Amino acid sequence: MGPEIQRQIRRDHPALPGHFPGNPLVPGVLLLTELFNILEQEAGMARGPVMLTSVKFMRLLRPGEPFTVRWKLLSRKNIAFAVARGEETIAAGTVCWGSRLTKQVGS
């Protein structure tokens, strides 16, 4: 796909209590936050509005499990990404960086 970086969500991360006691899982929003941080730090994308044009979560991730984030620049603003644990894809999709909302949510 392109560049990649390995990460791990600590078992004591503050977002984990409640997801789920006795059987902890990393919430998808935490994976996406990690993705955005990586794209800002490693790919040089400026902090700002983003639009997930597609995302699919296919596998569960447990706290403490290492995972790899891979990405590929499709155009100046569009990035394909995949989050994997070994050969298993956990999540994949595309994001449009610097996009603006064209419709107010709830209208």
Side-chain angles (χ1 to χ4, degrees):
M1 176 170 263
E4 63 180 57
I5 191 163
Q6 198 164 38
R7 290 283 165 91
Q8 186 175 3
I9 304 296
R10 297 182 337 263
R11 287 180 167 85
D12 64 346
H13 191 284
L16 296 176
H19 291 94
F20 294 92
N23 191 20
L25 301 174
V26 175
V29 69
L30 188 53
L31 275 181
L32 293 175
T33 299
E34 210 46 43
L35 167 72
F36 296 150
N37 288 337
I38 288 168
L39 291 176
E40 288 171 2
Q41 295 165 8
E42 304 295 328
M45 303 305 288
R47 186 174 293 268
V50 297
M51 179 174 59
L52 287 163
T53 49
S54 72
V55 64
K56 183 171 184 175
F57 294 95
M58 296 165 255
R59 303 249 189 301
L60 301 176
L61 180 67
R62 305 250 180 231
E65 289 183 332
F67 62 93
T68 303
V69 175
R70 296 179 182 94
W71 67 92
K72 180 180 180 182
L73 193 61
L74 301 175
S75 69
R76 199 175 66 130
K77 291 184 173 186
N78 295 294
I79 300 167
F81 69 87
V83 180
R85 177 185 50 239
E87 297 299 316
E88 295 181 322
T89 301
I90 297 168
T94 55
V95 61
C96 181
W97 212 265
S99 61
R100 302 245 181 246
L101 290 175
T102 57
K103 183 177 180 182
Q104 186 68 27
V105 174
S107 60

